[in-house]
């Protein structure tokens, strides 16, 4: 099946036409209107520095339903200890930069290029992207970011500079999702790490049904604030 080349308008082919590896389309840009359209259809950009923009819709799709989140006892104790200060939407650009330069990505190359960072910072300023930050001794110790459309949060990346900081950020995201009525957290690709926290795989058909139920108006949101923030 051929990969689609995008036109100037922010229009995408149906995800059902994706290749076996999830690749759907090539080209286009990272303007907010195109990104919001893509995410609303379950499509996301993922490409390396110097490559054309590639758009993906993998199957199966790893998702986490907030009520199904598995909180390990050790992590629960860590949360209660208040070893980390947790906030939301106070250091979005710093979290994205932290994800881009995390150990392993720095040495092996990252898909979170300068162009990608600026694109998600624009989405954040417009109210479509959010971050969770973990702080220790006043320093950013870890966090995560993603795109939120109505009742679906599309996770993009997470990082840690201090043991368990990204896990704390994930637990804080789930807790906030339950408060906001977010029905599903999209984790994109399957990892053992996320499976241990209760994530599970969906077929493309099931994932698209979740999108149809959870994404409707695609309105921007106010900055997130956590109760303890």
């Amino acid at each position: 099946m051929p990969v689609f080349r995008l036109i100037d308008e922010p229009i995408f082919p149906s995800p059902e036409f994706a290749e076996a590896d999830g690749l759907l389309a090539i080209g286009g840009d990272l303007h907010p209107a195109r990104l919001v359209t893509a995410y609303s259809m379950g499509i996301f950009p993922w490409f390396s520095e110097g490559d054309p923009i590639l758009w993906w819709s993998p199957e199966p799709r790893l998702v986490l339903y907030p009520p199904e989140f598995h909180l390990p006892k050790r992590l629960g104790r860590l949360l209660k200890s208040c070893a980390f200060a947790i906030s939301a939407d106070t250091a979005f650009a710093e979290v994205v930069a932290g994800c881009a330069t995390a150990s392993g990505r720095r040495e092996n190359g990252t898909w979170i290029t300068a162009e990608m960072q600026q694109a998600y910072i624009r989405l954040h300023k417009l109210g479509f992207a959010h971050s969770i930050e973990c702080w220790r001794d006043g320093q950013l110790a870890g966090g995560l970011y993603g795109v939120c459309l109505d009742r679906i949060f599309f996770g993009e990346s997470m990082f840690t500079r201090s043991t368990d900081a990204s896990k704390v950020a994930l637990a804080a995201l789930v807790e906030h999702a339950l408060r906001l009525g977010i029905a599903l957290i999209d984790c994109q690709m399957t990892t053992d790490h996320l499976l241990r926290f209760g994530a599970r795989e969906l077929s493309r058909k099931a994932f698209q049904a979740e999108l149809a139920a959870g994404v409707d108006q695609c309105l921007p949101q106010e900055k997130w604030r956590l109760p303890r923030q």
Side-chain angles (χ1 to χ4, degrees):
M1 189 176 295
V3 174
F4 292 83
R5 181 170 291 278
L6 298 182
I7 60 176
D8 290 340
E9 287 79 13
I11 299 171
F12 288 89
S14 171
E16 68 180 293
F17 294 116
E19 298 280 291
D21 62 0
L23 182 60
L24 175 66
I26 184 171
D29 52 54
L30 297 175
H31 289 172
R34 192 184 297 272
L35 284 171
V36 170
T37 299
Y39 279 96
S40 72
M41 297 175 64
I43 302 164
F44 58 87
W46 186 28
F47 61 100
S48 299
E49 187 76 52
D51 290 341
I53 301 174
L54 303 177
W55 301 89
W56 304 79
S57 176
E59 184 181 29
R61 192 74 166 235
L62 192 72
V63 305
L64 176 61
Y65 293 95
E68 296 180 2
F69 178 66
H70 170 64
L71 181 67
K73 291 181 179 179
R74 180 176 170 277
L75 182 57
R77 290 193 297 269
L78 181 61
L79 288 168
K80 290 179 180 178
S81 74
C82 297
F84 293 98
I86 308 171
S87 61
D89 285 350
T90 65
F92 184 88
E94 291 87 343
V95 168
V96 176
C99 290
T101 57
S103 177
R105 296 174 194 156
R106 183 173 54 250
E107 295 82 4
N108 303 320
T110 178
W111 72 96
I112 311 174
T113 62
E115 183 184 12
M116 286 278 273
Q117 291 183 51
Q118 290 305 311
Y120 286 91
I121 289 169
R122 286 195 297 270
L123 279 186
H124 172 66
K125 291 178 178 178
L126 291 171
F128 293 107
H130 303 275
S131 60
I132 302 288
E133 304 97 18
C134 287
W135 307 84
R136 174 164 270 174
D137 300 325
Q139 300 297 314
L140 187 62
L144 59 81
Y145 75 98
V147 174
C148 193
L149 299 180
D150 301 321
R151 294 173 299 283
I152 308 291
F153 182 83
F154 302 87
E156 271 300 310
S157 187
M158 61 174 64
F159 80 104
T160 188
R161 293 174 182 155
S162 180
T163 303
D164 293 329
S166 62
K167 297 176 183 177
V168 169
L170 177 60
L173 170 65
V174 170
E175 186 178 306
H176 195 55
L178 289 168
R179 282 192 295 269
L180 293 181
I182 291 173
L184 180 145
I185 297 170
D186 173 30
C187 305
Q188 298 182 348
M189 306 291 194
T190 300
T191 67
D192 290 339
H193 175 69
L194 290 170
L195 288 171
R196 286 194 290 270
F197 284 103
R200 55 186 167 106
E201 292 181 335
L202 293 184
S203 67
R204 178 176 289 115
K205 182 177 180 180
F207 181 69
Q208 294 300 131
E210 292 286 5
L211 291 184
V215 177
D216 40 44
Q217 295 179 300
C218 290
L219 296 176
Q221 301 173 353
E222 297 292 330
K223 283 190 174 182
W224 282 4
R225 286 294 178 265
L226 305 183
R228 61 188 116 175
Q229 188 171 327

